[in-house]
Structure formats: structure tokens, C-alpha cells
Amino acid sequence: MIPPESTTLAPAMAEWLEGVRNPAMAAVELSLLLVLGRTLGDALGLRHWGLPEALLAGVLGLVAVTSGPVDLVPEPVVRLWAGLPTALLTLVFATLLLGKPLPRLRGLWRPVSAQMLLALTLAFGQYLVGAAAVLFLLGPWLGVHPLMACLIEAAYEGGHGSAAAMGPHFARLGFAGGASLGLAMATVGLLASTMVGVVLVVVARWRGWLLSAEAISTEAIGAEAFSAKQNQGLTTGLLDSPQPPRSSAPDPEFGLGAWAANLVLAGMAVGLGWGLLQLLRYGAQQQGGGLSAILEAMPAFPLALAGSLLVRLTLDRSGHGRWASARIQNRLGTVAADLLITAATASLDLTLLEQDWLPLTLLAALGLGWNVLVLLLLAPRVLPAGWFERGITEFGQATGVVASGLLLLRMADPQDRSDALTAFSIKQLVLQPLLAGGVITVLAPIAVSSWGLERWMALCLALVSIWIGLGLVLGRSHPSS
């Protein structure tokens, strides 16, 4: 006779095993996909062209999900993959400032301020052209959701990580297809930033726009030129943390104790970011009003960067800055970003792309066109000497990812005569909490839902006009030549 308690224990044990099996399968299969994607990516030389190997891994996963007769990836695993991007992006943000001393702006005001004004023009201009396209064309003709106006900035500026992490945020606001459409647009931007950027560099060389035109050669796109600069300290950006140099020799800095300490530091940054968000939510609830609704909809990843800054400041002030390793933090951010891109791409909903390919194509073309116009018309009038080298870096980042911008910079300036990297890196640290997956990226869909497209477009037009005006004034008072 079977004891009565065993009849209740068996279903509970089966349920527990099922709850463990799916996450385990999700982790193992995602890791295998990333290893396979990196292996094939190395063989194809994807990194030399600024294309992440994780994107190839995600495409392989997508093929496995939609392969049909062979159920390689069960539906529960795909659902788990779809929920990973927000958590992984929070970890990426938490590692951004931990491993590097905070820069000083003394003597860099002119190039950094010009770089920031150009970046703000690009970002808010993407919102502007998106809002205008949806308000006057795509909305009346195709009936698209108003929040599609936010896709260009979220996908082009933020890349795959921002697009994937914004998916649940879009869904809460009624735009269920935002994640898949954003990921598709991020892929278009990543490819366009490389292909169009290469053409622009060739044109710049022909027109004599480069500081060191005589030193430019086709070898500038080689892996050595790109990787050497990519490993410099301040180049870390969203979803494209520099790849540390690969070596078979043991490295004491990569010991178990160092990894444990840096994992703890990253966890502290995540915890501080989450705690700040909870504190802000509590304060907003006490005050009442619309701010509470905004903060309830805000994810934790923008504030994880604030947590990263607080941990770094504490380490520097206490004389323990050496505890945070730039190489380990970069490696953590890179792995998290690669897993994020792989999971987000593999869990794409292709049916949404079939339905909305026309508005998506139009928005992608408009966003790319805006970025090219800003580079060719505004950058020469705003940026200091070496305007094209500085501007093409910004174009690559605002269309694809930071790695794309660095690749284009290496092609345009292999000998680093423009000193564009320093201003660009500091600009990234200042604007990263706001744009490209930061606070403004999160608040923009809420503003569109609350105010309507007309008011949002008017605000973006006013801000773009201000940024352009300030940039032109700065350019006239401090000429580039």
C-alpha cells in the first residue's frame, strides 16, 4: 500500500523538476549557441567588420526555434530567453564604470561639448523623424501604433540590448510588437553602419576631409588596427564592451579571487541601482501624481549605471580602486551583452516582421538618412579639427553600436592623429545614462502615450533646434581649422 503522503509528494517533485529543467535547458542551449556563434564568427572574421558574433549565434538559435519538424528548442525555453534581456542589460550597465578611473574634463571642454551636442542632435532627431513619419504618414495610411515613433532611437542608438529590454516596457504601454520590431531595426542599423560608413570613409578620403589622408590605406580595416584601439580603457559602451586580447598564458589578474571580488562589485552596483529605483518609486508614491506612474514603468537598468558610479567613487575615495579590474569588468559586460543579443535574436517573433515590414523599412531608411545628413552637414560646422574622424565615430555608434563607430574611426584615422577617441569616450560616459537605453529612452514611450505624438514631436523639434543652435555658436566661436 502506497503511503498517502507519497501521492502528494510525487506531483510536487515533478513540478519542481520541471521548474529546474527548463531554466537549465535555457542556460545550456544559450551557452552552446554563443560558443557556436563565436567559433563561426572567428572563422568568418565578423569582428573585423564590427559585427558581433553573438548576432550570428542568435540567428542560429532563431533557425533552431523555427525549424519546424525537429523541436530543438521547446517553447518554455524560448519564453525564458525572451525574458533575459532586461536582467542582462542591467548587468551590462553595472559594469560600465566599475573598471576604469573617472576621467577629468580639464582641457577637454571644447571637443567634449561639441561631441555631446552632435550626439544629442542625432538622438533627438531620430525621435523627431520617427514621430513625423508616424504622425503624417504611417499612422494615417497604415494605422501603426504611435509608439513605433520611438523605435529608431531605441534600436539605432541603443542597439539590440536596448531594443530587447524595452520590449516589456513597450508591451505595458500597449505596443506588444515593439521588441521584435526593435530588434529587426537594430540589425538593419548594425549592418548599415558598417556598409554605409565604409562608403562615407572612402568619400572623405577622396574629398580630402581626413586629417591624415596620406596615411589611410586599406589595411586600416585589419584586425590588428581595430583590436588595439578597441582595448583602450574608456571605449566601453552599451552592448559592445571591448574584447580583451586572447592569450593562452595564465594571467594572475584573472585569478579566482579577482573574479569573485569583481562579481561582488557588479552585484553591488546592480543592488544599488535597484535600491535607488525603489527609493524613487516610494518617494513618488508619497507625492502622488504622474511621476509615480512613470517610475513604476521604468526598469532598473538605467539606474544600474548610477550604482556603478557610486561603487567606483567609493573605491576611489577609500583607496581601493585596484579591487575593480577593467579587464574582468569588460569581460563580464561582454559576456552579458553577447548572451543578451543571442537570447533576444533567437526569441524574435517573425510573424510581426511579416506584418510590419513596410513601416519598419521606412523608419529604418529615415533614421539612416538623418544620421548621414547630420554627419555631412552639421559635423563640419560644430566639431573641432578632425571633424570627419570625430563625426564618423558618432555616426557608427548612433546607427549601429560603439564597436561600429570605433571600426570606422580606425579606417579613417589609423594613426590616431585626430584624438577623437578621448572626447567620444567621455561623451559616452556622460550621455550613457540618458540615451541609448537610458532614462530618456525609457521615458520617451511614456511621454508619447501621455502627451500624444503632436506634443512629443514639438518637444523634439525644439530640442533639436536648441542643440543645433548651440553647436553652431560653439563652432563659430571655436573654429575647427
mmCIF file of all heavy atoms in Angstrom, residues 85 88-96 153-163 165-166 190 235-242 301-302 305 333-334 337-338 340-341 397 400-404 424 428-429 432-433 435-438 441:
data_model
loop_
_atom_site.group_PDB
_atom_site.id
_atom_site.type_symbol
_atom_site.label_atom_id
_atom_site.label_comp_id
_atom_site.label_asym_id
_atom_site.label_seq_id
_atom_site.Cartn_x
_atom_site.Cartn_y
_atom_site.Cartn_z
ATOM 1 N N PRO A 85 16.716 39.593 -21.572
ATOM 2 C CA PRO A 85 17.425 40.828 -21.938
ATOM 3 C C PRO A 85 17.457 41.908 -20.870
ATOM 4 O O PRO A 85 18.486 42.556 -20.679
ATOM 5 C CB PRO A 85 16.687 41.293 -23.203
ATOM 6 C CG PRO A 85 16.217 40.030 -23.829
ATOM 7 C CD PRO A 85 15.833 39.154 -22.674
ATOM 8 N N LEU A 88 20.024 40.990 -18.175
ATOM 9 C CA LEU A 88 21.390 41.027 -18.706
ATOM 10 C C LEU A 88 21.829 42.455 -18.994
ATOM 11 O O LEU A 88 22.994 42.812 -18.772
ATOM 12 C CB LEU A 88 21.473 40.173 -19.973
ATOM 13 C CG LEU A 88 21.371 38.659 -19.745
ATOM 14 C CD1 LEU A 88 21.230 37.923 -21.066
ATOM 15 C CD2 LEU A 88 22.585 38.142 -18.988
ATOM 16 N N LEU A 89 20.913 43.293 -19.488
ATOM 17 C CA LEU A 89 21.283 44.677 -19.750
ATOM 18 C C LEU A 89 21.577 45.414 -18.441
ATOM 19 O O LEU A 89 22.443 46.292 -18.400
ATOM 20 C CB LEU A 89 20.163 45.391 -20.510
ATOM 21 C CG LEU A 89 20.505 46.791 -21.019
ATOM 22 C CD1 LEU A 89 21.680 46.754 -21.979
ATOM 23 C CD2 LEU A 89 19.306 47.440 -21.696
ATOM 24 N N THR A 90 20.881 45.063 -17.379
ATOM 25 C CA THR A 90 21.178 45.658 -16.075
ATOM 26 C C THR A 90 22.606 45.332 -15.649
ATOM 27 O O THR A 90 23.330 46.192 -15.132
ATOM 28 C CB THR A 90 20.181 45.145 -15.026
ATOM 29 O OG1 THR A 90 18.842 45.436 -15.462
ATOM 30 C CG2 THR A 90 20.398 45.817 -13.682
ATOM 31 N N LEU A 91 23.044 44.095 -15.892
ATOM 32 C CA LEU A 91 24.415 43.713 -15.563
ATOM 33 C C LEU A 91 25.415 44.461 -16.443
ATOM 34 O O LEU A 91 26.471 44.896 -15.967
ATOM 35 C CB LEU A 91 24.582 42.200 -15.718
ATOM 36 C CG LEU A 91 25.987 41.649 -15.451
ATOM 37 C CD1 LEU A 91 26.446 41.995 -14.037
ATOM 38 C CD2 LEU A 91 26.020 40.141 -15.668
ATOM 39 N N VAL A 92 25.095 44.628 -17.731
ATOM 40 C CA VAL A 92 25.981 45.375 -18.628
ATOM 41 C C VAL A 92 26.180 46.799 -18.115
ATOM 42 O O VAL A 92 27.309 47.301 -18.028
ATOM 43 C CB VAL A 92 25.422 45.391 -20.065
ATOM 44 C CG1 VAL A 92 26.239 46.326 -20.948
ATOM 45 C CG2 VAL A 92 25.425 43.991 -20.659
ATOM 46 N N PHE A 93 25.097 47.459 -17.753
ATOM 47 C CA PHE A 93 25.182 48.823 -17.243
ATOM 48 C C PHE A 93 25.980 48.864 -15.934
ATOM 49 O O PHE A 93 26.720 49.820 -15.685
ATOM 50 C CB PHE A 93 23.780 49.388 -17.015
ATOM 51 C CG PHE A 93 23.222 50.127 -18.198
ATOM 52 C CD1 PHE A 93 22.726 49.444 -19.291
ATOM 53 C CD2 PHE A 93 23.194 51.502 -18.226
ATOM 54 C CE1 PHE A 93 22.215 50.104 -20.379
ATOM 55 C CE2 PHE A 93 22.688 52.188 -19.310
ATOM 56 C CZ PHE A 93 22.195 51.496 -20.391
ATOM 57 N N ALA A 94 25.826 47.840 -15.107
ATOM 58 C CA ALA A 94 26.514 47.836 -13.820
ATOM 59 C C ALA A 94 28.022 47.746 -13.974
ATOM 60 O O ALA A 94 28.769 48.194 -13.091
ATOM 61 C CB ALA A 94 26.006 46.670 -12.962
ATOM 62 N N THR A 95 28.514 47.183 -15.083
ATOM 63 C CA THR A 95 29.961 47.016 -15.271
ATOM 64 C C THR A 95 30.609 48.205 -15.975
ATOM 65 O O THR A 95 31.844 48.270 -16.034
ATOM 66 C CB THR A 95 30.253 45.753 -16.099
ATOM 67 O OG1 THR A 95 29.695 45.896 -17.414
ATOM 68 C CG2 THR A 95 29.663 44.515 -15.433
ATOM 69 N N LEU A 96 29.829 49.132 -16.500
ATOM 70 C CA LEU A 96 30.378 50.143 -17.397
ATOM 71 C C LEU A 96 31.413 51.049 -16.739
ATOM 72 O O LEU A 96 32.423 51.390 -17.350
ATOM 73 C CB LEU A 96 29.243 51.003 -17.977
ATOM 74 C CG LEU A 96 28.393 50.338 -19.061
ATOM 75 C CD1 LEU A 96 27.351 51.305 -19.574
ATOM 76 C CD2 LEU A 96 29.245 49.820 -20.198
ATOM 77 N N GLU A 153 15.372 55.519 -32.206
ATOM 78 C CA GLU A 153 16.363 55.801 -31.163
ATOM 79 C C GLU A 153 16.638 54.561 -30.316
ATOM 80 O O GLU A 153 17.799 54.259 -30.012
ATOM 81 C CB GLU A 153 15.880 56.944 -30.264
ATOM 82 C CG GLU A 153 16.967 57.546 -29.387
ATOM 83 C CD GLU A 153 17.210 56.779 -28.098
ATOM 84 O OE1 GLU A 153 16.324 55.984 -27.699
ATOM 85 O OE2 GLU A 153 18.282 56.959 -27.492
ATOM 86 N N ALA A 154 15.593 53.841 -29.958
ATOM 87 C CA ALA A 154 15.783 52.665 -29.111
ATOM 88 C C ALA A 154 16.640 51.609 -29.801
ATOM 89 O O ALA A 154 17.454 50.936 -29.154
ATOM 90 C CB ALA A 154 14.427 52.071 -28.728
ATOM 91 N N ALA A 155 16.489 51.457 -31.137
ATOM 92 C CA ALA A 155 17.202 50.410 -31.864
ATOM 93 C C ALA A 155 18.529 50.885 -32.436
ATOM 94 O O ALA A 155 19.536 50.185 -32.349
ATOM 95 C CB ALA A 155 16.317 49.878 -32.994
ATOM 96 N N TYR A 156 18.546 52.081 -33.033
ATOM 97 C CA TYR A 156 19.789 52.577 -33.620
ATOM 98 C C TYR A 156 20.765 53.034 -32.537
ATOM 99 O O TYR A 156 21.918 52.631 -32.527
ATOM 100 C CB TYR A 156 19.494 53.749 -34.563
ATOM 101 C CG TYR A 156 19.133 53.333 -35.976
ATOM 102 C CD1 TYR A 156 18.850 52.017 -36.293
ATOM 103 C CD2 TYR A 156 19.083 54.263 -37.007
ATOM 104 C CE1 TYR A 156 18.518 51.640 -37.579
ATOM 105 C CE2 TYR A 156 18.754 53.905 -38.300
ATOM 106 C CZ TYR A 156 18.464 52.589 -38.583
ATOM 107 O OH TYR A 156 18.154 52.220 -39.863
ATOM 108 N N GLU A 157 20.332 53.894 -31.657
ATOM 109 C CA GLU A 157 21.204 54.377 -30.578
ATOM 110 C C GLU A 157 21.488 53.280 -29.565
ATOM 111 O O GLU A 157 22.617 53.101 -29.121
ATOM 112 C CB GLU A 157 20.560 55.574 -29.872
ATOM 113 C CG GLU A 157 20.639 56.880 -30.621
ATOM 114 C CD GLU A 157 21.952 57.602 -30.406
ATOM 115 O OE1 GLU A 157 22.700 57.216 -29.490
ATOM 116 O OE2 GLU A 157 22.228 58.535 -31.166
ATOM 117 N N GLY A 158 20.448 52.560 -29.182
ATOM 118 C CA GLY A 158 20.595 51.582 -28.112
ATOM 119 C C GLY A 158 21.060 50.218 -28.560
ATOM 120 O O GLY A 158 21.622 49.472 -27.773
ATOM 121 N N GLY A 159 20.803 49.858 -29.821
ATOM 122 C CA GLY A 159 21.205 48.554 -30.303
ATOM 123 C C GLY A 159 20.285 47.440 -29.825
ATOM 124 O O GLY A 159 19.183 47.677 -29.327
ATOM 125 N N HIS A 160 20.757 46.212 -29.987
ATOM 126 C CA HIS A 160 19.926 45.051 -29.666
ATOM 127 C C HIS A 160 19.559 44.988 -28.188
ATOM 128 O O HIS A 160 18.448 44.581 -27.833
ATOM 129 C CB HIS A 160 20.667 43.769 -30.058
ATOM 130 C CG HIS A 160 20.773 43.562 -31.530
ATOM 131 N ND1 HIS A 160 21.706 44.218 -32.293
ATOM 132 C CD2 HIS A 160 20.060 42.787 -32.381
ATOM 133 C CE1 HIS A 160 21.563 43.849 -33.566
ATOM 134 N NE2 HIS A 160 20.582 42.985 -33.637
ATOM 135 N N GLY A 161 20.471 45.383 -27.324
ATOM 136 C CA GLY A 161 20.182 45.311 -25.894
ATOM 137 C C GLY A 161 19.054 46.220 -25.487
ATOM 138 O O GLY A 161 18.120 45.818 -24.783
ATOM 139 N N SER A 162 19.121 47.465 -25.929
ATOM 140 C CA SER A 162 18.060 48.412 -25.601
ATOM 141 C C SER A 162 16.740 47.987 -26.215
ATOM 142 O O SER A 162 15.685 48.038 -25.565
ATOM 143 C CB SER A 162 18.458 49.810 -26.093
ATOM 144 O OG SER A 162 17.392 50.713 -25.938
ATOM 145 N N ALA A 163 16.778 47.551 -27.495
ATOM 146 C CA ALA A 163 15.539 47.147 -28.165
ATOM 147 C C ALA A 163 14.879 45.980 -27.457
ATOM 148 O O ALA A 163 13.651 45.945 -27.280
ATOM 149 C CB ALA A 163 15.833 46.788 -29.622
ATOM 150 N N ALA A 165 15.392 44.999 -24.218
ATOM 151 C CA ALA A 165 14.987 45.352 -22.857
ATOM 152 C C ALA A 165 13.770 46.267 -22.844
ATOM 153 O O ALA A 165 13.003 46.268 -21.881
ATOM 154 C CB ALA A 165 16.146 46.022 -22.130
ATOM 155 N N MET A 166 13.593 47.049 -23.914
ATOM 156 C CA MET A 166 12.429 47.923 -23.994
ATOM 157 C C MET A 166 11.155 47.173 -24.367
ATOM 158 O O MET A 166 10.063 47.731 -24.297
ATOM 159 C CB MET A 166 12.684 49.038 -25.006
ATOM 160 C CG MET A 166 13.668 50.107 -24.553
ATOM 161 S SD MET A 166 13.021 51.104 -23.210
ATOM 162 C CE MET A 166 11.751 52.025 -24.091
ATOM 163 N N LEU A 190 22.896 47.954 -37.539
ATOM 164 C CA LEU A 190 24.237 47.400 -37.374
ATOM 165 C C LEU A 190 24.894 47.154 -38.729
ATOM 166 O O LEU A 190 26.068 47.492 -38.952
ATOM 167 C CB LEU A 190 24.154 46.100 -36.578
ATOM 168 C CG LEU A 190 25.459 45.472 -36.107
ATOM 169 C CD1 LEU A 190 26.227 46.413 -35.199
ATOM 170 C CD2 LEU A 190 25.165 44.162 -35.388
ATOM 171 N N THR A 235 36.570 53.000 -23.909
ATOM 172 C CA THR A 235 35.759 52.754 -25.093
ATOM 173 C C THR A 235 34.548 51.897 -24.809
ATOM 174 O O THR A 235 33.801 51.575 -25.719
ATOM 175 C CB THR A 235 36.590 52.065 -26.182
ATOM 176 O OG1 THR A 235 37.140 50.861 -25.664
ATOM 177 C CG2 THR A 235 37.706 52.983 -26.641
ATOM 178 N N THR A 236 34.333 51.498 -23.591
ATOM 179 C CA THR A 236 33.214 50.624 -23.288
ATOM 180 C C THR A 236 31.898 51.334 -23.525
ATOM 181 O O THR A 236 31.680 52.423 -23.070
ATOM 182 C CB THR A 236 33.267 50.178 -21.818
ATOM 183 O OG1 THR A 236 34.519 49.575 -21.577
ATOM 184 C CG2 THR A 236 32.162 49.194 -21.510
ATOM 185 N N GLY A 237 30.981 50.686 -24.248
ATOM 186 C CA GLY A 237 29.662 51.239 -24.492
ATOM 187 C C GLY A 237 28.647 50.138 -24.416
ATOM 188 O O GLY A 237 28.970 48.975 -24.252
ATOM 189 N N LEU A 238 27.401 50.470 -24.592
ATOM 190 C CA LEU A 238 26.319 49.520 -24.472
ATOM 191 C C LEU A 238 26.437 48.435 -25.518
ATOM 192 O O LEU A 238 26.541 48.682 -26.700
ATOM 193 C CB LEU A 238 24.988 50.253 -24.646
ATOM 194 C CG LEU A 238 23.720 49.456 -24.418
ATOM 195 C CD1 LEU A 238 23.711 48.869 -23.026
ATOM 196 C CD2 LEU A 238 22.515 50.310 -24.637
ATOM 197 N N LEU A 239 26.468 47.190 -25.060
ATOM 198 C CA LEU A 239 26.467 46.012 -25.886
ATOM 199 C C LEU A 239 27.722 45.786 -26.676
ATOM 200 O O LEU A 239 27.749 44.969 -27.570
ATOM 201 C CB LEU A 239 25.277 46.057 -26.893
ATOM 202 C CG LEU A 239 23.940 45.970 -26.214
ATOM 203 C CD1 LEU A 239 22.877 45.823 -27.254
ATOM 204 C CD2 LEU A 239 23.889 44.808 -25.267
ATOM 205 N N ASP A 240 28.777 46.532 -26.440
ATOM 206 C CA ASP A 240 29.960 46.301 -27.228
ATOM 207 C C ASP A 240 31.216 46.544 -26.400
ATOM 208 O O ASP A 240 32.118 47.211 -26.841
ATOM 209 C CB ASP A 240 29.967 47.175 -28.471
ATOM 210 C CG ASP A 240 29.464 48.554 -28.160
ATOM 211 O OD1 ASP A 240 30.065 49.246 -27.335
ATOM 212 O OD2 ASP A 240 28.445 48.927 -28.733
ATOM 213 N N SER A 241 31.252 46.045 -25.213
ATOM 214 C CA SER A 241 32.450 46.170 -24.402
ATOM 215 C C SER A 241 33.622 45.565 -25.154
ATOM 216 O O SER A 241 33.491 44.548 -25.812
ATOM 217 C CB SER A 241 32.265 45.437 -23.076
ATOM 218 O OG SER A 241 31.178 45.956 -22.373
ATOM 219 N N PRO A 242 34.800 46.202 -25.079
ATOM 220 C CA PRO A 242 35.926 45.714 -25.851
ATOM 221 C C PRO A 242 36.284 44.279 -25.503
ATOM 222 O O PRO A 242 36.225 43.872 -24.351
ATOM 223 C CB PRO A 242 37.054 46.667 -25.459
ATOM 224 C CG PRO A 242 36.382 47.862 -24.882
ATOM 225 C CD PRO A 242 35.113 47.369 -24.278
ATOM 226 N N PHE A 301 17.600 49.045 -15.252
ATOM 227 C CA PHE A 301 18.929 49.103 -15.852
ATOM 228 C C PHE A 301 19.510 50.509 -16.007
ATOM 229 O O PHE A 301 20.735 50.667 -15.895
ATOM 230 C CB PHE A 301 18.969 48.338 -17.187
ATOM 231 C CG PHE A 301 18.047 48.837 -18.265
ATOM 232 C CD1 PHE A 301 18.375 49.919 -19.045
ATOM 233 C CD2 PHE A 301 16.860 48.169 -18.527
ATOM 234 C CE1 PHE A 301 17.542 50.353 -20.055
ATOM 235 C CE2 PHE A 301 16.017 48.587 -19.536
ATOM 236 C CZ PHE A 301 16.357 49.690 -20.306
ATOM 237 N N PRO A 302 18.726 51.592 -16.244
ATOM 238 C CA PRO A 302 19.393 52.897 -16.296
ATOM 239 C C PRO A 302 20.030 53.293 -14.968
ATOM 240 O O PRO A 302 21.092 53.929 -14.946
ATOM 241 C CB PRO A 302 18.249 53.861 -16.670
ATOM 242 C CG PRO A 302 17.219 53.008 -17.316
ATOM 243 C CD PRO A 302 17.303 51.700 -16.593
ATOM 244 N N LEU A 305 23.653 51.988 -13.827
ATOM 245 C CA LEU A 305 24.830 52.796 -14.148
ATOM 246 C C LEU A 305 25.143 53.748 -12.999
ATOM 247 O O LEU A 305 26.317 53.977 -12.673
ATOM 248 C CB LEU A 305 24.608 53.571 -15.442
ATOM 249 C CG LEU A 305 25.830 54.296 -15.999
ATOM 250 C CD1 LEU A 305 26.920 53.309 -16.362
ATOM 251 C CD2 LEU A 305 25.460 55.138 -17.203
ATOM 252 N N GLY A 333 30.873 42.388 -18.833
ATOM 253 C CA GLY A 333 29.944 43.120 -19.681
ATOM 254 C C GLY A 333 29.822 42.513 -21.059
ATOM 255 O O GLY A 333 28.731 42.449 -21.637
ATOM 256 N N THR A 334 30.951 42.042 -21.608
ATOM 257 C CA THR A 334 30.931 41.444 -22.937
ATOM 258 C C THR A 334 30.119 40.157 -22.961
ATOM 259 O O THR A 334 29.295 39.939 -23.856
ATOM 260 C CB THR A 334 32.373 41.162 -23.409
ATOM 261 O OG1 THR A 334 33.080 42.393 -23.488
ATOM 262 C CG2 THR A 334 32.382 40.497 -24.774
ATOM 263 N N ALA A 337 26.463 40.961 -22.568
ATOM 264 C CA ALA A 337 25.937 41.548 -23.802
ATOM 265 C C ALA A 337 25.784 40.502 -24.894
ATOM 266 O O ALA A 337 24.784 40.492 -25.628
ATOM 267 C CB ALA A 337 26.858 42.671 -24.274
ATOM 268 N N ASP A 338 26.750 39.595 -25.009
ATOM 269 C CA ASP A 338 26.654 38.545 -26.021
ATOM 270 C C ASP A 338 25.477 37.617 -25.746
ATOM 271 O O ASP A 338 24.742 37.222 -26.668
ATOM 272 C CB ASP A 338 27.954 37.740 -26.059
ATOM 273 C CG ASP A 338 29.083 38.486 -26.740
ATOM 274 O OD1 ASP A 338 28.806 39.534 -27.369
ATOM 275 O OD2 ASP A 338 30.241 38.043 -26.650
ATOM 276 N N LEU A 340 22.835 38.432 -24.146
ATOM 277 C CA LEU A 340 21.639 39.238 -24.385
ATOM 278 C C LEU A 340 21.267 39.231 -25.864
ATOM 279 O O LEU A 340 20.116 38.978 -26.241
ATOM 280 C CB LEU A 340 21.902 40.668 -23.906
ATOM 281 C CG LEU A 340 20.755 41.670 -23.861
ATOM 282 C CD1 LEU A 340 21.107 42.802 -22.921
ATOM 283 C CD2 LEU A 340 20.445 42.245 -25.234
ATOM 284 N N ILE A 341 22.251 39.542 -26.735
ATOM 285 C CA ILE A 341 21.982 39.587 -28.170
ATOM 286 C C ILE A 341 21.537 38.214 -28.672
ATOM 287 O O ILE A 341 20.600 38.103 -29.479
ATOM 288 C CB ILE A 341 23.232 40.063 -28.923
ATOM 289 C CG1 ILE A 341 23.563 41.503 -28.549
ATOM 290 C CG2 ILE A 341 23.032 39.954 -30.429
ATOM 291 C CD1 ILE A 341 24.853 42.013 -29.148
ATOM 292 N N GLN A 397 28.239 54.832 -33.986
ATOM 293 C CA GLN A 397 27.561 54.499 -32.726
ATOM 294 C C GLN A 397 26.066 54.775 -32.800
ATOM 295 O O GLN A 397 25.262 53.997 -32.287
ATOM 296 C CB GLN A 397 28.195 55.304 -31.587
ATOM 297 C CG GLN A 397 27.720 54.908 -30.204
ATOM 298 C CD GLN A 397 26.489 55.680 -29.758
ATOM 299 O OE1 GLN A 397 26.350 56.848 -30.091
ATOM 300 N NE2 GLN A 397 25.616 55.039 -29.021
ATOM 301 N N GLY A 400 24.708 51.946 -35.409
ATOM 302 C CA GLY A 400 24.912 50.556 -35.017
ATOM 303 C C GLY A 400 25.223 50.431 -33.549
ATOM 304 O O GLY A 400 24.342 50.562 -32.696
ATOM 305 N N VAL A 401 26.496 50.205 -33.226
ATOM 306 C CA VAL A 401 26.939 50.113 -31.835
ATOM 307 C C VAL A 401 28.277 50.841 -31.729
ATOM 308 O O VAL A 401 28.846 51.282 -32.723
ATOM 309 C CB VAL A 401 27.090 48.639 -31.379
ATOM 310 C CG1 VAL A 401 25.748 47.956 -31.270
ATOM 311 C CG2 VAL A 401 27.992 47.867 -32.343
ATOM 312 N N VAL A 402 28.797 50.951 -30.524
ATOM 313 C CA VAL A 402 30.059 51.662 -30.340
ATOM 314 C C VAL A 402 31.185 50.993 -31.119
ATOM 315 O O VAL A 402 32.052 51.654 -31.689
ATOM 316 C CB VAL A 402 30.417 51.755 -28.842
ATOM 317 C CG1 VAL A 402 31.794 52.362 -28.648
ATOM 318 C CG2 VAL A 402 29.377 52.592 -28.111
ATOM 319 N N ALA A 403 31.186 49.661 -31.174
ATOM 320 C CA ALA A 403 32.217 48.959 -31.931
ATOM 321 C C ALA A 403 32.199 49.370 -33.398
ATOM 322 O O ALA A 403 33.247 49.454 -34.042
ATOM 323 C CB ALA A 403 32.035 47.454 -31.798
ATOM 324 N N SER A 404 31.011 49.630 -33.947
ATOM 325 C CA SER A 404 30.923 50.099 -35.328
ATOM 326 C C SER A 404 31.593 51.453 -35.474
ATOM 327 O O SER A 404 32.327 51.703 -36.439
ATOM 328 C CB SER A 404 29.452 50.189 -35.766
ATOM 329 O OG SER A 404 28.792 48.966 -35.607
ATOM 330 N N PHE A 424 35.058 61.232 -27.550
ATOM 331 C CA PHE A 424 33.951 60.309 -27.764
ATOM 332 C C PHE A 424 33.702 59.453 -26.524
ATOM 333 O O PHE A 424 32.551 59.231 -26.122
ATOM 334 C CB PHE A 424 34.259 59.421 -28.970
ATOM 335 C CG PHE A 424 33.247 58.340 -29.209
ATOM 336 C CD1 PHE A 424 32.034 58.622 -29.809
ATOM 337 C CD2 PHE A 424 33.497 57.034 -28.815
ATOM 338 C CE1 PHE A 424 31.094 57.631 -30.023
ATOM 339 C CE2 PHE A 424 32.568 56.031 -29.028
ATOM 340 C CZ PHE A 424 31.366 56.335 -29.633
ATOM 341 N N GLN A 428 30.410 59.354 -24.077
ATOM 342 C CA GLN A 428 29.667 58.134 -23.784
ATOM 343 C C GLN A 428 29.350 58.026 -22.293
ATOM 344 O O GLN A 428 28.235 57.667 -21.908
ATOM 345 C CB GLN A 428 30.478 56.910 -24.223
ATOM 346 C CG GLN A 428 30.446 56.637 -25.714
ATOM 347 C CD GLN A 428 29.080 56.232 -26.183
ATOM 348 O OE1 GLN A 428 28.348 57.043 -26.763
ATOM 349 N NE2 GLN A 428 28.706 54.996 -25.945
ATOM 350 N N LEU A 429 30.317 58.333 -21.453
ATOM 351 C CA LEU A 429 30.096 58.230 -20.010
ATOM 352 C C LEU A 429 29.041 59.217 -19.530
ATOM 353 O O LEU A 429 28.262 58.917 -18.624
ATOM 354 C CB LEU A 429 31.413 58.468 -19.268
ATOM 355 C CG LEU A 429 32.516 57.426 -19.476
ATOM 356 C CD1 LEU A 429 33.734 57.791 -18.647
ATOM 357 C CD2 LEU A 429 32.037 56.029 -19.118
ATOM 358 N N GLN A 432 25.502 58.156 -21.594
ATOM 359 C CA GLN A 432 25.021 56.784 -21.495
ATOM 360 C C GLN A 432 23.838 56.618 -20.540
ATOM 361 O O GLN A 432 22.902 55.871 -20.842
ATOM 362 C CB GLN A 432 26.162 55.866 -21.060
ATOM 363 C CG GLN A 432 25.825 54.382 -21.083
ATOM 364 C CD GLN A 432 25.818 53.820 -22.490
ATOM 365 O OE1 GLN A 432 26.851 53.588 -23.072
ATOM 366 N NE2 GLN A 432 24.648 53.612 -23.039
ATOM 367 N N PRO A 433 23.817 57.299 -19.382
ATOM 368 C CA PRO A 433 22.641 57.133 -18.510
ATOM 369 C C PRO A 433 21.358 57.713 -19.087
ATOM 370 O O PRO A 433 20.277 57.412 -18.584
ATOM 371 C CB PRO A 433 23.044 57.890 -17.232
ATOM 372 C CG PRO A 433 24.524 58.024 -17.300
ATOM 373 C CD PRO A 433 24.862 58.119 -18.743
ATOM 374 N N LEU A 435 20.658 58.371 -22.892
ATOM 375 C CA LEU A 435 20.257 57.880 -24.202
ATOM 376 C C LEU A 435 20.705 56.431 -24.387
ATOM 377 O O LEU A 435 21.329 55.852 -23.514
ATOM 378 C CB LEU A 435 20.862 58.774 -25.291
ATOM 379 C CG LEU A 435 20.447 60.252 -25.221
ATOM 380 C CD1 LEU A 435 21.332 61.090 -26.132
ATOM 381 C CD2 LEU A 435 18.981 60.410 -25.596
ATOM 382 N N ALA A 436 20.380 55.877 -25.565
ATOM 383 C CA ALA A 436 20.834 54.524 -25.906
ATOM 384 C C ALA A 436 20.459 53.504 -24.836
ATOM 385 O O ALA A 436 21.278 52.697 -24.412
ATOM 386 C CB ALA A 436 22.343 54.523 -26.158
ATOM 387 N N GLY A 437 19.223 53.515 -24.398
ATOM 388 C CA GLY A 437 18.760 52.603 -23.365
ATOM 389 C C GLY A 437 18.695 53.222 -21.989
ATOM 390 O O GLY A 437 18.355 52.537 -21.027
ATOM 391 N N GLY A 438 19.003 54.513 -21.881
ATOM 392 C CA GLY A 438 18.984 55.185 -20.597
ATOM 393 C C GLY A 438 17.630 55.761 -20.246
ATOM 394 O O GLY A 438 16.586 55.346 -20.760
ATOM 395 N N THR A 441 15.398 57.135 -23.108
ATOM 396 C CA THR A 441 14.842 56.039 -23.910
ATOM 397 C C THR A 441 13.644 55.412 -23.223
ATOM 398 O O THR A 441 12.669 55.024 -23.880
ATOM 399 C CB THR A 441 15.931 54.981 -24.157
ATOM 400 O OG1 THR A 441 17.070 55.596 -24.750
ATOM 401 C CG2 THR A 441 15.430 53.890 -25.083
#
